[in-house]
Amino acid sequence: MTSSQRRPWVVGVSGASGTPYAAAVLRALLHAGEPVDLVVSRAARLTVLDETGHPFRDAAAEEDLRRWLARGADGTPDAYDVDVSGVRHWAAGDLAAGPSSGSYPTRGMLVVPASTACVAGVALGLSKDLLQRTASVTLKERRPLVVTVRETPLTGQTLRHLVTLDDAGAVVLPASPAFYAGVRDAQDLVDFVAGRVLDAAGVPHKLYRRWRGELGGGREVTRDASPPPDGR
């Protein structure tokens, strides 16, 4: 694929807890053959370090991303083998980056997870960093924007900001795992949320068992996650 043909999904990772959600979405996008532009906020770097024990650095973005995506939700290292060559990383402070302009072609943006500060910044149009700027551009260009808010409880101010985003055309998708799909471990809960994000974006996946209108399906032990860790 030439650079002129490339139309990536932009994945924005803000500073809310929930880096396994971002990792699952990124893995599934790459597994589906989708190119990705990645923006990790400064606050998110602290969260990645806190939740994984490893840094995420501009100067070593490919190496750090590979290690991050290889990690399972339960903390198991090297649970996944992921080719990250389809990811283009942009520094959060680079307001001259490609995704900062509406003329830069993208398919849309997925903010996973979205902190309340990020939600407020996008709703108010602050564009204080590349993540917020790209989200604003996505809205003004009428491209899909999925905001996976990860906070509880929510204040009235944040709820109003979320309504503003909904009115602007974004999909507000709380990180709320379900249990009917059959849950064996933390990865199943993470994959359900990641799968719903991809559903909202229209990206095919097999991250969770879909509801079939039959009770008792949650007792089935199945996982056809995308991609499977180490072949299992």
Side-chain angles (χ1 to χ4, degrees):
M1 180 184 297
T2 66
S3 58
S4 61
Q5 296 173 321
R6 188 176 183 272
R7 289 186 66 235
W9 284 100
V10 181
V11 176
V13 185
S14 78
S17 176
T19 56
Y21 293 126
V25 166
L26 287 164
R27 284 194 299 263
L29 285 171
L30 294 172
H31 185 69
E34 298 284 351
V36 173
D37 278 17
L38 177 64
V39 182
V40 181
S41 75
R42 289 189 175 92
R45 293 167 192 240
L46 297 176
T47 309
V48 171
L49 178 61
D50 185 51
E51 294 187 345
T52 71
H54 298 291
F56 187 89
R57 303 158 293 180
D58 286 342
E62 184 174 341
E63 173 189 348
D64 292 346
L65 177 63
R66 185 180 294 108
R67 181 169 51 195
W68 176 20
L69 298 193
R71 181 185 178 90
D74 64 355
T76 303
D78 302 321
Y80 295 89
D81 183 16
V82 186
D83 179 4
V84 299
S85 61
V87 179
R88 183 172 187 179
H89 168 258
W90 299 94
D94 184 5
L95 290 177
S100 69
S101 171
S103 66
Y104 182 85
T106 73
R107 293 192 60 185
M109 184 176 187
L110 315 175
V111 184
V112 188
S115 67
T116 54
C118 172
V119 166
V122 177
L124 297 174
L126 298 182
S127 296
K128 73 178 184 112
D129 61 8
L130 181 61
L131 195 160
Q132 291 185 15
R133 169 60 185 169
T134 303
S136 296
V137 166
T138 302
L139 287 175
K140 81 179 182 68
E141 296 295 327
R142 301 297 190 266
R143 296 168 184 162
L145 173 65
V146 182
V147 179
T148 308
V149 61
R150 215 304 310 160
E151 190 72 66
T152 188
L154 296 173
T155 67
Q157 187 90 17
T158 297
L159 291 169
R160 285 186 283 273
H161 289 152
L162 292 172
V163 170
T164 296
L165 292 179
D166 179 78
D167 288 343
V171 174
V172 175
L173 196 153
S176 301
F179 295 84
Y180 64 78
V183 177
R184 297 186 306 178
D185 51 37
Q187 191 65 58
D188 288 325
L189 295 173
V190 167
D191 284 346
F192 180 87
V193 172
R196 296 298 289 153
V197 172
L198 295 174
D199 287 346
V203 177
H205 67 88
K206 295 182 179 179
L207 284 174
Y208 67 88
R209 189 190 70 85
R210 297 185 181 277
W211 175 250
R212 298 193 296 261
E214 301 171 359
L215 295 178
R219 293 192 296 271
E220 297 178 10
V221 180
T222 60
R223 174 186 284 162
D224 191 9
S226 173
D230 294 337
R232 69 183 174 94

